[in-house]
Amino acid sequence: MDAEAQESFRQFVAGRSTALLKTAVLLAGGDRHAAEDLLQNALVKAAGRWQRIDEPEAYVRRILYRQQISRWRLKWRRREVMVAEPPESGAGHSPDASGAAELRLVLRTALSRLTARQRTVLVLRYFEDLPEADVARLLGCSVGTVRSTTHRSLARLRELAPELAALAPRQPRPSRDFSPVEVRP
């Protein structure tokens, strides 16, 4: 890699690594160390092809997704017990901020209890805001599989963390009040 490409890669890493790490943390079920490993491996792979990459962020994200898929397909899995980290303390935090931090911890814990496949589908659909067809293409499955996995994953998430239901936007129910319609001959 020449000096210009190295500088371009350094700028990309400096500018986008925080956003990419957030995605990696979600894919890894809240395990920051595993997420850092996932991102580091993706960046190493991207560095080797840097001069031939047209869309660097999309390319690195695709590597993240595929590595996570490979991890869940492994026959053996390491089982680790996840523990929630206490929210960061600091002056000037309002009670609302502590409630939001608590909800983030609840969400992180609930996500970590989902299977890797369920977690990945939810991250791609709701955090990355990808359409079902794109998720299916990335995961190598059908759109129906994405839909059913999303449905089951959300149901399991609601079961694991019912307190998150307060965050869901309330949809107004359609009115059942039908006014009489005048029929003219």
Side-chain angles (χ1 to χ4, degrees):
M1 187 177 340
D2 63 6
E4 184 179 322
Q6 283 182 347
E7 184 58 31
S8 169
F9 182 73
R10 282 190 191 113
Q11 288 176 357
F12 172 77
V13 171
R16 298 304 304 155
S17 62
T18 302
L20 291 168
L21 182 60
K22 286 180 184 178
T23 300
V25 167
L26 290 171
L27 289 171
D31 184 350
R32 186 170 175 95
H33 298 292
E36 289 171 350
D37 289 344
L38 192 65
L39 179 57
Q40 184 176 4
N41 290 337
L43 290 173
V44 166
K45 288 180 180 184
R49 297 185 46 97
W50 189 251
Q51 294 174 319
R52 293 171 282 189
I53 299 173
D54 293 330
E55 296 180 35
E57 186 160 355
Y59 187 83
V60 172
R61 285 182 186 276
R62 199 171 316 116
I63 294 171
L64 286 173
Y65 307 146
R66 289 182 178 165
Q67 283 183 330
Q68 183 60 27
I69 291 167
S70 295
R71 284 185 178 187
W72 90 50
R73 287 183 177 163
L74 290 175
K75 292 187 189 227
W76 59 271
R77 293 189 183 161
R78 281 189 326 199
R79 295 289 179 188
E80 295 181 7
V81 177
M82 299 292 296
V83 294
E85 299 172 359
E88 299 172 58
S89 63
H93 287 310
S94 65
D96 292 337
S98 66
E102 186 176 323
L103 283 174
R104 280 193 306 274
L105 288 173
V106 168
L107 179 61
R108 180 183 292 174
T109 302
L111 281 172
S112 72
R113 295 181 61 198
L114 296 175
T115 66
R117 183 180 191 96
Q118 290 174 326
R119 190 172 47 248
T120 301
V121 168
L122 290 180
V123 168
L124 292 174
R125 282 287 292 130
Y126 298 107
F127 184 74
E128 293 293 320
D129 199 25
L130 294 176
E132 291 169 338
D134 290 351
V135 174
R137 186 179 40 77
L138 281 170
L139 299 181
C141 62
S142 70
V143 172
T145 300
V146 171
R147 287 180 183 156
S148 62
T149 303
T150 302
H151 178 74
R152 284 192 302 272
S153 303
L154 289 173
R156 179 72 175 140
L157 196 61
R158 287 184 193 104
E159 180 184 305
L160 293 171
E163 56 269 41
L164 295 175
L167 298 177
R170 304 258 182 219
Q171 295 292 332
R173 290 184 171 225
S175 173
R176 298 254 184 217
D177 181 28
F178 297 107
S179 57
V181 176
E182 185 179 327
V183 179
R184 294 183 180 174

